[in-house]
Amino acid sequence: MSKSRNKITTIDCTLRDGGYYNNWDFDKKLVNNYMNALTKSKVDYIEIGFRNLSSSTFMGPYAYSRDRFLEKLNLSKKVNVGVMIDTKEILNSNIGIKKTLDTLLNKKSQSSVSLVRFATHFSDVNSLDKIVKLTKDKGYKIAINLMQTGGKSEEQINDATKYLSQIKEIDVLYFADSLGNMREEDIIKTISLLRNNWFKDLGIHTHNNKGLALSNTLVALRNGVNWVDSTVRGMGRGAGNAETEILLSELNRIYKKNYKLDEIYQLAVDDFKKLNSQFNWGQSLLYSLAADNNIHPTYIQEMISDPRYDDQRILEAISF
């Protein structure tokens, strides 16, 4: 095993995944508190948001995370910054791959971003070669985030990783439990399948529909994953994610890490407690049933947020 695979790398993606609840429009004071706490914690990366093309519907600045906006945040040089790009955003663009990437990404020398992560469905894996190489030419570290990995066949995973292993510019391969329905045995089996062809850094992104986001992350670490995601108080799409404050505490306990947690604890019980009271993310019966039925958590989140649907009607929709 290489030295790089022995090192645990942590990514907090609160402003990116949590933005599904508030249209990526976070209060400036909260962001200041968040950045200070996360920087002092010594987390490895902050995934500051998405890097989307312009949209006709309102989305806050963390849906775009443009370099000119990030410059105003006075980001500490002590923390690495990442952004996520949906691969379909590029493939569906009518101006072509190169022009789209030139629109989305400056050269690394002109940006505070160091990591670009591409969220990719299995059906789009074979379209990544040019996207990855053009992005690497700009100077970025590159991660691929395979979405909805749970339930994929052995053949699908093997085909995807065979192709991705030939793209030498990829630095990290992530798999995402997008529907929040993977269990310990699924995590272990998926890692084993991925390792048939992928021998570089491997990451996991978990969702908490079944209350297993944190435990699945720890299981993944024990079985060879070395990049892990989390969000403050678990704020993320649907039921949310593994909680940063708890995950880092566990890493300190199990792996003798030295993450500084006092300010993150304060952030979780103050700023993000207020947000949680407002948006009410977290594990629930509805999200658990959705996971059992392979229903995307966004579907449930939108119904919960719509006053036309009470819990009984949502249960009926899940059953249907």
Side-chain angles (χ1 to χ4, degrees):
M1 183 177 288
S2 68
K3 286 185 179 180
S4 64
R5 279 175 53 188
N6 281 323
K7 182 184 183 300
I8 296 173
T9 300
T10 51
I11 299 183
D12 182 277
C13 47
T14 305
L15 301 183
R16 198 268 305 166
D17 214 332
Y20 284 102
Y21 273 99
N22 63 357
N23 283 323
W24 297 275
D25 191 20
F26 288 90
D27 176 76
K28 184 177 180 180
K29 181 180 178 182
L30 179 144
V31 172
N32 285 338
N33 292 342
Y34 165 84
M35 294 301 303
N36 288 334
L38 267 293
T39 300
K40 290 179 181 178
S41 77
K42 298 184 179 180
V43 71
D44 294 291
Y45 284 87
I46 293 175
E47 192 169 65
I48 202 77
F50 277 106
R51 183 64 67 85
N52 287 316
L53 294 169
S54 298
S55 172
S56 58
T57 59
F58 172 77
M59 293 192 293
Y62 298 94
Y64 305 102
S65 308
R66 293 286 190 264
D67 288 323
R68 60 181 178 273
F69 171 73
L70 299 184
E71 290 171 3
K72 299 176 183 177
L73 297 181
N74 296 317
L75 298 170
S76 171
K77 296 190 182 300
K78 294 180 180 179
V79 69
N80 298 303
V81 175
V83 294
M84 178 174 277
I85 299 175
D86 190 329
T87 302
K88 283 197 178 297
E89 184 93 346
I90 301 168
L91 296 178
N92 293 341
S93 172
N94 59 13
I95 60 174
I97 290 175
K98 186 178 187 306
K99 286 186 178 180
T100 302
L101 284 170
D102 286 344
T103 300
L104 291 170
L105 295 168
N106 294 315
K107 291 183 178 179
K108 169 65 187 75
S109 59
Q110 301 169 330
S111 174
S112 56
V113 171
S114 57
L115 173 70
V116 176
R117 184 154 58 154
F118 292 100
T120 307
H121 285 286
F122 275 74
S123 58
D124 294 324
V125 163
N126 289 349
S127 303
L128 283 170
D129 190 27
K130 184 176 181 180
I131 292 172
V132 168
K133 289 178 179 178
L134 287 172
T135 304
K136 181 60 75 171
D137 286 344
K138 292 178 180 291
Y140 294 97
K141 192 178 189 76
I142 297 173
I144 302 300
N145 192 48
L146 287 175
M147 296 189 286
Q148 298 187 26
T149 305
K152 292 295 186 293
S153 69
E154 182 172 341
E155 181 181 12
Q156 287 174 301
I157 294 174
N158 281 333
D159 287 348
T161 51
K162 280 180 183 177
Y163 181 83
L164 293 171
S165 66
Q166 297 173 31
I167 307 176
K168 66 181 185 300
E169 292 84 359
I170 299 173
D171 299 292
V172 189
L173 177 62
Y174 260 83
F175 69 100
D177 178 20
S178 305
L179 303 184
N181 59 4
M182 296 179 77
R183 298 183 180 276
E184 179 175 335
E185 57 269 27
D186 302 316
I187 299 296
I188 294 170
K189 180 180 178 181
T190 299
I191 294 169
S192 178
L193 290 172
L194 291 168
R195 285 300 187 202
N196 285 337
N197 297 294
W198 183 262
F199 306 109
K200 295 195 285 186
D201 285 350
L202 186 62
I204 187 170
H205 178 87
T206 59
H207 279 260
N208 208 34
N209 298 51
K210 304 292 291 184
L212 298 173
L214 178 64
S215 61
N216 280 345
T217 300
L218 296 174
V219 166
L221 283 168
R222 291 197 298 270
N223 286 275
V225 159
N226 63 317
W227 284 61
V228 290
D229 281 11
S230 61
T231 58
V232 176
R233 209 179 176 93
M235 185 182 188
R237 178 159 54 177
N241 311 102
E243 301 93 334
T244 295
E245 60 277 12
I246 302 178
L247 175 61
L248 296 185
S249 176
E250 287 296 287
L251 295 182
N252 283 350
R253 181 180 68 85
I254 299 169
Y255 296 98
K256 310 305 177 187
K257 299 296 181 180
N258 191 33
Y259 294 107
K260 308 301 181 184
L261 300 175
D262 287 349
E263 293 199 32
I264 288 186
Y265 290 158
Q266 189 61 43
L267 191 71
V269 302
D270 188 357
D271 298 84
F272 281 85
K273 181 180 180 180
K274 295 172 184 175
L275 277 180
N276 197 194
S277 297
Q278 179 181 357
F279 295 110
N280 198 33
W281 69 82
Q283 183 193 8
S284 71
L285 172 63
L286 299 176
Y287 283 120
S288 180
L289 291 173
D292 289 340
N293 290 281
N294 294 316
I295 298 170
H296 199 285
T298 297
Y299 180 66
I300 306 302
Q301 180 181 324
E302 289 179 354
M303 284 196 293
I304 291 173
S305 302
D306 191 325
R308 295 176 298 172
Y309 300 101
D310 59 19
D311 286 355
Q312 183 59 44
R313 292 193 67 185
I314 297 174
L315 279 172
E316 291 170 358
I318 293 172
S319 178
F320 176 79

